[in-house]
Amino acid sequence: MLFRSHAEVDTEEGLTLFGRVLLVLAMVIASLIYIRIEDPETLRSNVRCGLLALVVIGNLALVRANYSLGGAEFFLRDEAWASTLPYVAPTAFAPLIVAILIDAGSGIFMALFVSIFTGVIYGNRLDLLVLTFLASLVSIYFGREARRRGRLVRAAGMGGLTVAAFAALIGFADRIPLETLLRQMAAGLGTGVLTGIGVVGLLPVLESLFKRTTDITLLELTDYNHPLLRRMQLEAPGTYHHSLVVAQLSENAANAIGAHPLVARVCALDRKSTRLNSSHVSESRMPSSA
């Protein structure tokens, strides 16, 4: 009888594991189909594929590690604190990074991908799936054209605020005690802000590692206090003024045809400053006349 009971338990666990493997396989196939239809360039780029794989696996690892905290003695003793763990999961981390480094469409799909697995990890919770997906979309919306690092923190904070607001509404409907509800709201908001800070800190590393350039970096290159631009102001003011006019014209032209205006502006400034630097290097290498 005991042997039969153990066999039934093993069979049930095996079927559960098999079901989860099928779910993962289905999501991977869905991801490949989506990328094939909407962003075939990603499949042809090892850099993009590597970036997507790294941030998604990292995000899911963070969510799984957060879920594992529920087995700690502290959370087992206090259900009020244990109920805050789903709101601490940083589900907007990968979607926000992908939206900034690749595009918003890929970020939205990544948000759905991470949210589905988060809902499964926490016991097939549909409410958590919808809530985390909504929060990620809010973060992507506010951070889609970020040109300042502080705006990324604000974008992720808006996602956290969304989690806090809907946690309050859901908690009110479920008649959750006020103290537990406040903890959940604080956890959601705090996680959003910390996610933004983490994204800001990790972006320079990912830009360097995967050779990607964000609007934030491009804007930093157009800073008039950049050493090369400062040198051009002092040594070739006429060329400097001309480069500003060309950069403005390039930016306006890019806006008119739907191209990236910031890239056009940076390229115009960079070309002029590079020419100036090259000419000075050439002059310094010329032998002086006797």
Side-chain angles (χ1 to χ4, degrees):
M1 187 69 178
L2 183 61
F3 177 77
R4 182 181 300 176
S5 176
H6 278 295
E8 291 177 354
V9 171
D10 290 341
T11 301
E12 184 176 350
E13 290 180 352
L15 290 174
T16 301
L17 179 61
F18 181 68
R20 291 184 176 180
V21 170
L22 286 179
L23 178 63
V24 173
L25 181 61
M27 284 302 301
V28 171
I29 293 175
S31 302
L32 292 175
I33 293 174
Y34 173 83
I35 294 173
R36 179 69 178 177
I37 296 173
E38 293 294 332
D39 192 14
E41 184 181 347
T42 296
L43 291 179
R44 297 191 293 267
S45 172
N46 292 332
V47 172
R48 285 195 178 194
C49 290
L51 174 62
L52 289 174
L54 179 63
V55 296
V56 170
I57 293 174
N59 201 159
L60 292 178
L62 288 175
V63 173
R64 187 63 179 83
N66 180 71
Y67 174 77
S68 300
L69 291 176
E73 185 178 352
F74 173 77
F75 292 105
L76 291 175
R77 289 200 316 264
D78 193 336
E79 290 188 5
W81 280 109
S83 66
T84 64
L85 283 178
Y87 301 98
V88 179
T91 53
F93 192 76
L96 192 54
I97 289 179
V98 172
I100 295 168
L101 292 181
I102 298 181
D103 56 52
S106 299
I108 291 172
F109 180 79
M110 204 54 57
L112 179 61
F113 189 91
V114 173
S115 296
I116 289 175
F117 277 100
T118 300
V120 171
I121 288 173
Y122 281 94
N124 300 322
R125 288 184 54 179
L126 180 61
D127 61 329
L128 190 59
L129 187 159
V130 175
L131 181 56
T132 54
F133 181 55
L134 174 62
S136 295
L137 289 187
V138 170
S139 298
I140 291 172
Y141 176 79
F142 283 98
R144 67 191 187 284
E145 295 179 355
R147 293 190 174 185
R148 294 285 188 276
R149 301 191 188 276
R151 186 170 177 179
L152 294 180
V153 178
R154 188 184 70 174
M158 292 300 295
L161 185 61
T162 302
V163 172
F166 277 86
L169 295 174
I170 295 172
F172 179 77
D174 293 341
R175 298 181 179 180
I176 295 176
L178 181 60
E179 182 181 357
T180 302
L181 187 58
L182 290 176
R183 290 177 182 177
Q184 293 176 353
M185 294 174 63
L189 182 58
T191 300
V193 174
L194 290 176
T195 297
I197 294 173
V199 169
V200 169
L202 197 59
L203 267 182
V205 178
L206 294 176
E207 285 184 76
S208 175
L209 186 62
F210 293 99
K211 308 302 179 184
R212 308 293 297 177
T213 304
T214 64
D215 285 353
I216 298 172
T217 301
L218 289 174
L219 197 62
E220 290 173 351
L221 291 175
T222 64
D223 184 6
Y224 296 147
N225 290 318
H226 189 280
L228 207 51
L229 291 178
R230 291 287 296 175
R231 181 178 178 183
M232 187 159 59
Q233 292 177 42
L234 297 173
E235 300 183 13
T239 303
Y240 173 73
H241 181 266
H242 176 68
S243 68
L244 293 183
V245 174
V246 173
Q248 188 63 50
L249 290 173
S250 301
E251 187 173 5
N252 293 339
N255 271 319
I257 64 175
H260 199 304
L262 193 55
V263 171
R265 183 179 185 84
V266 171
C267 289
L269 289 174
D270 180 69
R271 185 176 181 182
K272 290 291 184 180
S273 58
T274 302
R275 280 184 177 180
L276 176 68
N277 190 47
S278 300
S279 65
H280 277 278
V281 169
S282 299
E283 289 175 3
S284 65
R285 291 178 178 175
M286 290 177 61
S288 58
S289 57

